[in-house]
Every structure is written in structure tokens, then in C-alpha cells.
Amino acid sequence: MIANKKNNLIYSEKLTSWITTRLFLILAAVFLLLLLWRENFWGMDTLAIVFACVFFFFLFYVINYRTLQIRLTGNSLQLIFGIFHWTEQLDNIETCSLDQLPVFYEKGGAGIHFMMVNQRYRASFNFLEYPRVVIALKKKRGWVRDLSFSTRQPDKIIEILQVNSR
């Protein structure tokens, strides 16, 4: 680990969730079966089109939200969830801590979510079974004032962010 050069990789982690993947696969399969059943008996009507759209929605989730990649360099934090990327400069991080949410928000879904927590708008990159780190931004990005993400090693990430974001 070389922390004195700004572009060197300090930390990298890839998370996958078989729970999330299975859930999205099951939902995609259910809506595919409903689509096939509806199309077979009533043709391609409005409800069949709705089933097709929901099937493709969950198929996208299966493919896109399979792996969350976390990369920390000397100057930035990068989160990659399929086609969605978020890069935050470390000098824009005000504080970081273990994320503590009410159960409804904590177990409210996997993937990328946007929500209000303590009257602050938050972007969350998460899987259900891992703890999360939350960072408060000095300057908000659009409406986003906080960013949270799942990790296997929240204490290590918090330590790295506290040392490198000053």
C-alpha cells in the first residue's frame, strides 16, 4: 500500500450477493412465466406487455447489480455497480462512519437507492447482508449530501477515509 502517490490504489473490494441475485432471478422468472401464460391464453395484450416490462426490469437488475466494486485511491473513492459509477474526491468528504439506519431503510432493498435520512438526501449503493459506511459530503452533488455503500470491512474503510480525506 503506497499512500503518498495520489493515483495509487489504496484499497479495492468486490462484493457480490447471492441472496440479491437469487431474489432478482426469482422475480424475473415469475414475471417471465406470467408473461408466457398471459400471451398464450390472451395474446400480447396490455397486461402481457406490463409483465414483459417487469421481467426485463428484473433481468436488468440480475445483470447490473451482481457486483459492487469499491476503489480507494489517494484522491478519490469510486463505487461501481454495473453501468452506474460514482466517484467522490476525498477532499469533499466531511465525515465518515458506520451507517445506522432504521430497519425499514436498512432492509429496504438492494442496488442503488436515493432516500431522505435526517433531512439529508442520500445515495446508497448496497446489498442487504453487508454493513454500510456513510460519508457526509462537504459540497453536495446535486441533491445528494450523504453517500453510503456496503462493504465487508467498514472499519478499515473508515480508517482509510479519515486518514486520507483531510
Side-chain angles (χ1 to χ4, degrees), residues 67-130:
T67 303
L68 171 61
Q69 185 175 358
I70 303 163
R71 294 176 44 87
L72 266 165
T73 65
N75 64 350
S76 68
L77 164 68
Q78 184 178 38
L79 304 173
I80 304 166
F81 227 156
I83 64 170
F84 302 107
H85 296 231
W86 186 292
T87 301
E88 196 59 56
Q89 298 303 311
L90 295 186
D91 61 5
N92 193 34
I93 296 176
E94 187 171 7
T95 62
C96 61
S97 62
L98 193 59
D99 194 7
Q100 310 249 336
L101 288 173
V103 173
F104 175 75
Y105 286 124
E106 184 179 340
K107 303 300 183 194
I112 301 173
H113 296 276
F114 296 90
M115 61 186 129
M116 288 293 287
V117 178
N118 299 324
Q119 288 145 8
R120 294 173 63 93
Y121 200 65
R122 177 182 298 189
S124 183
F125 289 63
N126 69 302
F127 286 125
L128 298 176
E129 67 266 30
Y130 298 106

Side-chain angles (χ1 to χ4, degrees), residues 21-74:
T21 300
R22 278 189 222 131
L23 171 66
F24 292 148
L25 273 171
I26 289 167
L27 289 169
V30 165
F31 283 97
L32 177 61
L33 291 172
L34 287 170
L35 166 64
L36 295 172
W37 166 76
R38 184 70 184 193
E39 200 275 329
N40 188 44
F41 287 102
W42 287 278
M44 191 55 89
D45 63 353
T46 303
L47 189 56
I49 292 169
V50 169
F51 289 153
C53 290
V54 176
F55 162 71
F56 283 115
F57 175 79
F58 284 117
L59 183 63
F60 170 77
Y61 266 55
V62 167
I63 296 165
N64 193 70
Y65 295 116
R66 188 176 20 223
T67 303
L68 171 61
Q69 185 175 358
I70 303 163
R71 294 176 44 87
L72 266 165
T73 65

Side-chain angles (χ1 to χ4, degrees), residues 130-158:
Y130 298 106
R132 283 189 302 274
V133 169
V134 62
I135 60 174
L137 304 178
K138 291 177 185 174
K139 291 188 306 183
K140 63 183 183 174
R141 300 246 324 252
W143 291 353
V144 175
R145 298 183 67 190
D146 296 330
L147 177 64
S148 69
F149 55 95
S150 296
T151 176
R152 282 188 202 95
Q153 300 183 44
D155 295 334
K156 185 173 184 174
I157 289 181
I158 290 169

